[in-house]
Amino acid sequence: MTPPLPAPPRPGTLGVWWAAIRPRTLGMALAPVMLGTALAVADGVELAWAVLFTTAACALLIQIGTNLYNDAVDFERGTDRPERLGPLRVTLAGWASAAEVKRGALLSLLLALLLGAWLCVVGGGLILAIGLASLVAGWAYSGGPRPISHSPLGELFVLLFFGVFAVLGSHWLQSRAVGHLDLLAGLAVGAPAAAVLLVNNYRDLAGDLRAGRRTLAALLGAEGARRAFALLVLLPIPALVLMAASGVPGAILGLVGAPALAPLVWRFGRAEGGAALNALLVNTARAGTRTGLAAAAGIVFFSFL
């Protein structure tokens, strides 16, 4: 069995909280906001900058709150153990108590709720529904009697909330319009984010099975997980092509990320040990974020031609 990765020395307070929020995952929260906003620009609306900044802040706060709550609750449940191979978790490392980390999660979600209240005034009932569902899902991912993170539905949760709903809500807030492009754009950014979770669960497969977690990786097995990863990580390519063919040609610029996406499939099939899978997780997150941001930039650029 691969030995656990040693925990580095405890940093200062800011360093602890920086590690706790998992900064490498935060780009995945911003990419769908940028892509949904870009679709609004393509509609010809004048950009509402205050709405954009508030939407981005809400997305980041929900992601941070989910990360913190997951850190604390997985430690309390005994799911995260000393032999864990994944990136450092501050509660498990003893850098902060579970109570402290949960308070940080609560603060993040409360701030998201306050900012989201204004967005609900701006966007109406649709934004209220998406916002409340996002907050509840952020808690239910790790909390409650049947956490989403312990089931095969985790990847679907990420695909919907960090893909489709985030794009749709961001688009609606700017232009009061939604359509099939929101679904395609949501798949383009949500699928790589779901692939990140799949890598995480594949790496932790043995420990999850011992702890009673039945994730998608556990359900599919090693070979099925590799196929699912390939599907998720390559899905942005046809999604962006269809977007370009459906009236937003600038979306094709997102394909500049394709050369980084395709090799991930090969690497997943050959990755062994926690360090290799951790590196793959980070590279998948970065490639997915770059793809979404490049598509957003392309859509905005072509809108002004």
Side-chain angles (χ1 to χ4, degrees):
M1 180 171 58
T2 305
L5 301 176
R10 187 186 187 280
T13 300
L14 288 179
V16 170
W17 287 105
W18 181 249
I21 67 174
R22 306 180 200 174
R24 290 172 174 174
T25 69
L26 300 185
M28 295 185 296
L30 285 178
V33 173
M34 297 300 108
L35 196 48
T37 302
L39 291 175
V41 173
D43 292 338
V45 303
E46 183 177 350
L47 195 63
W49 288 99
V51 172
L52 171 58
F53 290 135
T54 305
T55 306
C58 276
L60 287 171
L61 286 167
I62 291 173
Q63 174 78 64
I64 289 169
T66 302
N67 287 348
L68 292 174
Y69 194 62
N70 175 253
D71 189 308
V73 173
D74 276 2
F75 172 76
E76 290 182 327
R77 291 179 184 273
T79 305
D80 283 352
R81 299 172 181 270
E83 63 270 20
R84 184 178 181 275
L85 299 176
L88 182 141
R89 296 288 179 262
V90 298
T91 315
L92 179 65
W95 289 4
S97 70
E100 290 172 324
V101 176
K102 284 199 287 189
R103 283 197 294 270
L106 179 61
L107 177 61
S108 297
L109 294 176
L110 284 176
L111 288 173
L113 181 62
L114 290 174
L115 293 176
W118 180 68
L119 292 179
C120 290
V121 173
V122 173
L126 178 62
I127 299 305
L128 176 62
I130 292 176
L132 290 177
S134 298
L135 289 171
V136 170
W139 168 80
Y141 182 76
S142 297
R146 295 184 178 179
I148 296 171
S149 63
H150 291 203
S151 77
L153 299 178
E155 284 77 6
L156 178 61
F157 159 86
V158 171
L159 180 63
L160 290 176
F161 285 95
F162 293 95
V164 177
F165 293 159
V167 170
L168 186 150
S170 302
H171 187 187
W172 174 264
L173 280 166
Q174 295 285 345
S175 68
R176 302 301 184 276
V178 294
H180 70 285
L181 290 175
D182 296 294
L183 174 60
L184 291 172
L187 293 175
V189 290
V196 170
L197 179 61
L198 185 61
V199 174
N200 180 82
N201 290 339
Y202 179 81
R203 181 203 61 220
D204 296 340
L205 183 57
D208 284 349
L209 289 174
R210 287 194 300 269
R213 294 178 65 167
R214 294 297 181 265
T215 61
L216 183 62
L219 179 67
L220 297 177
E223 186 58 34
R226 294 187 187 102
R227 292 172 182 170
F229 178 81
L231 173 64
L232 290 170
V233 86
L234 296 177
L235 189 56
I237 297 173
L240 292 171
V241 170
L242 286 173
M243 287 180 68
S246 298
V248 282
I252 206 70
L253 186 62
L255 293 183
V256 300
L261 291 170
L264 296 173
V265 178
W266 181 86
R267 290 180 58 190
F268 186 86
R270 289 156 180 79
E272 295 183 2
L277 288 167
N278 289 341
L280 178 63
L281 185 152
V282 171
N283 290 331
T284 302
R286 288 174 175 169
T289 299
R290 284 195 297 264
T291 297
L293 294 178
I299 291 170
V300 172
F301 177 76
F302 271 78
S303 297
F304 289 102
L305 292 181

